[in-house]
Amino acid sequence: MSEARLPIRRNPAFSFRAILAGVFALAITGLAGCSSNDDEIPYEERPVEQIYNKAMDHMAAGEYIPATKEFDEVERQHPYSEWARRSMLMGAYANYKVNQYDEAILSAQRFISLHPSNKDVPYAYYLVGLCYYEQISDVGRDQTMTENALNSFYELTRRFPNSEYARDARLKIDLTLDHLAGKEMEIGRYYLNRHDYIAAINRFRTVIERYQTTTHTPEALERLTEAYLSLGIKTEAQTAAAILGYNFPGSEWYEDSYALLAEQGLEPQENKDSWISRAWNSVF
C-alpha cells in the first residue's frame, strides 16, 4: 500500500521534524531517488557534525542509501552523542524511503527502546506501523504484516492518543481490521462453496465477534443465514437475518437473507439467547 508522507514539525535548533519536513518537500518535487552505491564507508575518523551534515546532504538530494550509511557512521563513531540519537531515527526514515522496511523497523524500535521518553517516540511508533502497513498483501495471502501493522498502530494510539500521528493511525486501524475481516470472509466463502458449513460458520462468526464494525458484516450475517439454513438450524438463521434486517435494512444482503427464509416459510426473528445476539449486543 502506498502512503502519503506526513510533514513533521518541531521547534528550534536541531529540529528532527523540521529537517524531515524539508526532506519530504524535496522528495515530492521530484528530487527523490536512491543510489545504487552499496559499498561500505571505509572507516575515517571525522567530526560528528561533518558526518551528520553529509548524511543530510544525501537526504536533501534524495540519495537515501548513502544517507543511511552516513547516519550509521554517526552512531559508530559517536555513539553517545545527541547526533547519534537523531541519526538513529533519521536513518530509520531513510531506510523506509527506499523500502528497506526491516532495517527501518529495527532502527525505529531501537530508538524507542533507548529513548522511551523522547518527544519523537510517537513518530518512531508510527514509522514502524507504516513499514508493516505498506507490506500488506491481498487477502489471498498471509496476513502477518496486517496483524503487525494493526498491533503497531494500536500501541501508538494507546500510548500517545493525542499525538499528531494518532488520528492517521486510527484510520489505518480501521483499514487493517477491514482487511483482516476480508481474509476471514474469503476462507468462509471457500468452505461454504464446499458445503463445509461448520467451518464456514466459524469464519463468519469471527467476523461478527472480532470485526463487527467493518464493511464485511452485512455479508457475514447473510452467509450465516445461508449456512445455518443448510444445516437445518432455523432459529440461528432467523436470528442472523433479523439482526441484518434491523441494522442494514436496505442492503442486498438482507434481501437475499429474507428470500432464503421465505423459501422455507420462515421470517427473520431474533433469538436473544443466540450467540449472534450476544456478540452483537456486546459491541452495540
Side-chain angles (χ1 to χ4, degrees), residues 163-220:
S163 75
E164 61 189 293
Y165 308 104
R167 180 183 178 187
D168 192 62
R170 291 187 186 99
L171 292 175
K172 287 179 171 57
I173 285 172
D174 289 341
L175 292 172
T176 54
L177 288 172
D178 203 82
H179 201 77
L180 291 170
K183 177 67 174 182
E184 296 296 325
M185 291 301 300
E186 182 187 56
I187 299 172
R189 289 188 213 102
Y190 169 79
Y191 286 130
L192 193 62
N193 289 333
R194 292 173 61 87
H195 308 295
D196 189 346
Y197 299 116
I198 298 299
I201 286 169
N202 286 336
R203 294 295 179 166
F204 302 137
R205 179 170 184 158
T206 297
V207 175
I208 299 304
E209 291 182 332
R210 295 184 57 188
Y211 309 118
Q212 201 172 114
T213 58
T214 70
T215 60
H216 298 279
T217 297
E219 182 185 354

Side-chain angles (χ1 to χ4, degrees), residues 126-178:
Y126 181 69
L127 189 58
V128 171
L130 278 185
C131 288
Y132 287 128
Y133 185 82
E134 293 188 6
Q135 296 180 81
I136 291 176
S137 57
D138 64 74
V139 294
R141 301 187 179 186
D142 178 74
Q143 294 303 305
T144 299
M145 292 300 172
T146 313
E147 293 279 3
N148 289 341
L150 182 64
N151 291 334
S152 298
F153 290 132
Y154 269 144
E155 189 71 2
L156 169 58
T157 57
R158 184 182 71 83
R159 289 177 176 267
F160 307 99
N162 299 318
S163 75
E164 61 189 293
Y165 308 104
R167 180 183 178 187
D168 192 62
R170 291 187 186 99
L171 292 175
K172 287 179 171 57
I173 285 172
D174 289 341
L175 292 172
T176 54
L177 288 172
D178 203 82

Side-chain angles (χ1 to χ4, degrees), residues 90-118:
M90 287 300 296
Y93 176 73
N95 277 307
Y96 162 75
K97 290 291 289 182
V98 289
N99 301 331
Q100 294 185 164
Y101 295 119
D102 290 344
E103 292 85 348
I105 290 168
L106 286 173
S107 292
Q109 289 178 334
R110 191 155 54 89
F111 180 88
I112 293 168
S113 176
L114 293 175
H115 310 286
S117 60
N118 188 274

Side-chain angles (χ1 to χ4, degrees), residues 219-258:
E219 182 185 354
L221 289 167
E222 191 278 340
R223 300 296 184 186
L224 285 168
T225 303
E226 183 179 347
Y228 277 124
L229 280 177
S230 298
L231 291 172
I233 306 176
K234 298 177 181 179
T235 56
E236 292 294 88
Q238 288 174 289
T239 297
I243 291 175
L244 175 55
Y246 183 79
N247 292 279
F248 308 96
S251 71
E252 295 180 1
W253 297 113
Y254 176 61
E255 293 176 4
D256 291 345
S257 293
Y258 191 92

